[in-house]
Amino acid sequence: MDFSWIFSYWPLLAAGAVQTVLLLVISVGFGFILAIGLALAQVIGPRWLKLFARGYCTCLRGTPLLIQLWLLYYGVGSLLPMIPGLRASLLWPLLREGFFFAAVSFTLNYAAYEAEVLRGALLAVPKGELEAGRSFGMSSSTLLRRIWLPRAIRIALPTIAGEVVLQLKATPLAFTVTVMDLYAVAYKVRQDTLLVYEPLMVVTVFYVCLTLIITRAFKVVEAQVPVRR
Amino acid sequence: MSSSQSLLELLSPYPPGWGGVLLAGALSTVLISLGAYLVGIAIGLVGAIGKLKGNRPVRFVLDLYTTAVRAIPELILIIGLYYAGTDGLNRILSALGLPAVEINGFVAAVAVLGIVQGAYMTEVFRGAILAIPVGQIEAAAAFGMRPRLRFRRIVLPALMPNALPGLANLWMSVTKDSALIAVVGYQELALATRIAAGNTKHYFLFFLASAALYLAITLISNVAFAALESRLRRGQPTTA
């Protein structure tokens, strides 16, 4: 066991950790917003929207994230330069980066899984609570904003914690599209120093710590909202 | 260059086209997944019984195994197990004075994914065994069945309906996790797609085609598991 490399690779490891956390925060944040839309579309949307949302969830849950990522990075990425004017636009430096494609595909994928969780939770909100809201004269948008959605999120909270951890565990895939995340740094250390296990162990410890922090954070949030069962 | 005719030719199953490579990749994805799934079921059953009936050290080791596998990202586990496994085996062989062996990629993939599946299976089976009404097992014991017979005739058939939803989920996740084997370099659907796409530069076409293949595997499996569930639940009261 040789951990002396840590001192020289410390800045790279820190930068990798930042990339990993950034990917997680972006995909969970935007994915959650998208998931709310997808779940609502499936529960109260018109027929065509319902079908679209269900199809979206089936397709993204039925194919591996790795393929989705490569489809976006190599496939869409190879088509993008054909759009006239894009190369000269301000967006180009962003669209050239693997990070952008990783963030987009992780977000789309997370949204598909999260939408299923939220769909179940929306249906699990007791009918009486919604009727009570209506009888107070709430409009359907107020009802959704004040009662239905918050209540559904509260019901889904334990599952969401699990989904966020799963998402964290998916982030190392970004290394296959040149993102210098934490795992990619471990890979580089392995190539430079020919140490196989040590960098993997250090990175693993980081992931496990992050998992513990996430689960603890969700416990705290859950404790904030009193749920009477 | 990209008329619809030439796109179809690219996907044709015969040599100028890459369809055959993709289909062969899909077949090895299914085979790897099946192998890993069976290994996982075996580990899971043994692990669940160990967790429920084992002594303290056994339970501790199993807890460590399931917690570690479920907390570490799949990609890291697969790469770590792959190198540790091949390296460890060759070290043991050289310690015994035997020549080093080149480990078959298929066997390595099945073993690595099977170990990952086993941890999840252990938890699924543990929950499923706990959900069996105690009376059924007590009745079997009262009839004088020995533990092994009791397990085969009562516990196993009774736990299957409870375990099936979890097992179905795990099958879906192993078919998708098998794509990660591409990173280690064994050719299955994901890597075959990448090779085909890289050679022809038609990235979009090939990744879309392989996504369709994965989706087909998932949808067919869904139908199969639904049929299996209705068979395993035969004789059980249906609730509305």
Side-chain angles (χ1 to χ4, degrees):
Chain A
M1 289 289 138
D2 173 12
F3 287 101
S4 55
W5 51 270
I6 285 186
F7 299 103
S8 44
Y9 283 95
W10 182 243
L12 218 51
L13 280 169
V18 170
Q19 295 268 296
T20 293
V21 173
L22 216 54
L23 271 176
L24 179 69
V25 170
I26 289 175
S27 59
V28 167
F30 287 110
F32 192 72
I33 296 168
L34 197 56
I36 291 175
L38 283 167
L40 283 175
Q42 285 188 57
V43 176
I44 51 173
R47 208 179 137 72
W48 63 272
L49 203 58
K50 256 183 208 171
L51 278 176
F52 169 76
R54 191 163 307 153
Y56 176 90
C57 289
T58 310
C59 284
L60 272 96
R61 281 152 39 96
T63 53
L65 178 56
L66 188 66
I67 293 290
Q68 292 163 23
L69 179 62
W70 286 355
L71 178 66
L72 222 61
Y73 181 73
Y74 295 109
V76 178
S78 70
L79 297 182
L80 279 182
M82 294 177 192
I83 301 171
L86 193 63
R87 211 176 253 280
S89 77
L90 282 172
L91 281 174
W92 187 247
L94 185 68
L95 293 178
R96 228 175 25 197
E97 293 287 326
F99 185 87
F100 172 76
F101 291 98
V104 170
S105 73
F106 289 178
T107 302
L108 295 179
N109 186 267
Y110 179 78
Y113 281 92
E114 198 57 63
E116 284 298 302
V117 174
L118 281 179
R119 187 178 65 90
L122 282 173
L123 293 175
V125 174
K127 287 278 172 296
E129 298 183 15
L130 298 179
E131 281 161 6
R134 270 191 212 104
S135 71
F136 270 109
M138 282 188 186
S139 67
S140 44
S141 68
T142 314
L143 186 74
L144 181 67
R145 208 177 59 238
R146 293 229 187 112
I147 297 181
W148 205 10
L149 208 52
R151 194 69 175 83
I153 291 173
R154 197 180 295 180
I155 290 171
L157 218 46
T159 324
I160 294 174
E163 295 286 323
V164 173
V165 172
L166 285 181
Q167 186 66 14
L168 169 70
K169 288 168 55 181
T171 55
L173 289 182
F175 114 98
T176 60
V177 294
T178 71
V179 176
M180 271 313 261
D181 75 329
L182 196 60
Y183 176 73
V185 174
Y187 187 78
K188 184 178 161 44
V189 173
R190 193 177 92 203
Q191 284 185 321
D192 290 356
T193 61
L194 298 179
L195 295 168
V196 179
Y197 306 112
E198 290 88 341
L200 278 181
M201 280 160 69
V202 169
V203 169
T204 300
V205 168
F206 182 83
Y207 280 106
V208 172
C209 288
L210 213 52
T211 302
L212 289 178
I213 292 172
I214 292 170
T215 44
R216 184 57 55 87
F218 270 94
K219 283 250 169 64
V220 171
V221 175
E222 271 179 59
Q224 296 292 315
V225 282
V227 182
R228 218 179 61 193
R229 292 187 195 279
Chain B
M1 166 180 126
S2 56
S3 71
S4 65
Q5 183 59 41
S6 77
L7 286 186
L8 273 182
E9 273 169 19
L10 278 172
L11 283 177
S12 105
Y14 303 106
W18 289 85
V21 177
L22 251 56
L23 285 178
L27 182 66
S28 68
T29 285
V30 172
L31 289 178
I32 288 176
S33 306
L34 265 179
Y37 198 60
L38 294 178
V39 170
I41 286 179
I43 295 178
L45 276 175
V46 173
I49 294 166
K51 267 200 172 184
L52 291 171
K53 296 269 161 66
N55 52 14
R56 264 181 108 101
V58 168
R59 284 210 309 262
F60 175 77
V61 169
L62 284 171
D63 269 335
L64 199 66
Y65 163 60
T66 54
T67 314
V69 168
R70 294 192 303 166
I72 301 171
E74 269 78 5
L75 186 71
I76 292 184
L77 264 179
I78 285 168
I79 288 174
L81 284 173
Y82 187 81
Y83 286 109
T86 49
D87 193 49
L89 188 63
N90 277 331
R91 272 193 200 167
I92 293 170
L93 285 176
S94 74
L96 295 172
L98 295 165
V101 288
E102 185 73 29
I103 291 168
N104 181 306
F106 180 80
V107 174
V110 165
V112 167
L113 287 174
I115 291 172
V116 175
Q117 283 276 303
Y120 291 92
M121 293 274 191
T122 299
E123 293 301 309
V124 167
F125 283 129
R126 193 176 66 92
I129 291 174
L130 286 176
I132 299 173
V134 184
Q136 296 185 2
I137 298 170
E138 282 173 351
F143 272 108
M145 283 191 187
R146 283 158 194 273
R148 191 166 297 182
L149 187 68
R150 205 156 70 211
F151 182 77
R152 195 155 47 86
R153 289 232 185 113
I154 309 293
V155 176
L156 206 53
L159 78 80
M160 279 315 282
N162 299 336
L164 204 63
L167 291 182
N169 278 345
L170 284 176
W171 169 252
M172 301 304 167
S173 83
V174 75
T175 53
K176 276 175 253 143
D177 276 355
S178 71
L180 301 181
I181 292 294
V183 176
V184 195
Y186 183 72
Q187 182 155 349
E188 38 63 69
L189 185 49
L191 192 62
T193 312
R194 206 169 139 165
I195 290 168
N199 269 309
T200 58
K201 305 289 171 215
H202 281 277
Y203 292 102
F204 197 72
L205 173 75
F206 282 111
F207 283 118
L208 215 54
S210 97
L213 280 174
Y214 275 109
L215 193 60
I217 294 174
T218 304
L219 294 181
I220 292 169
S221 313
N222 269 338
V223 175
F225 271 106
L228 193 62
E229 175 146 18
S230 65
R231 162 143 182 91
L232 285 176
R233 284 201 186 279
R234 70 194 186 283
Q236 281 192 356
T238 49
T239 45

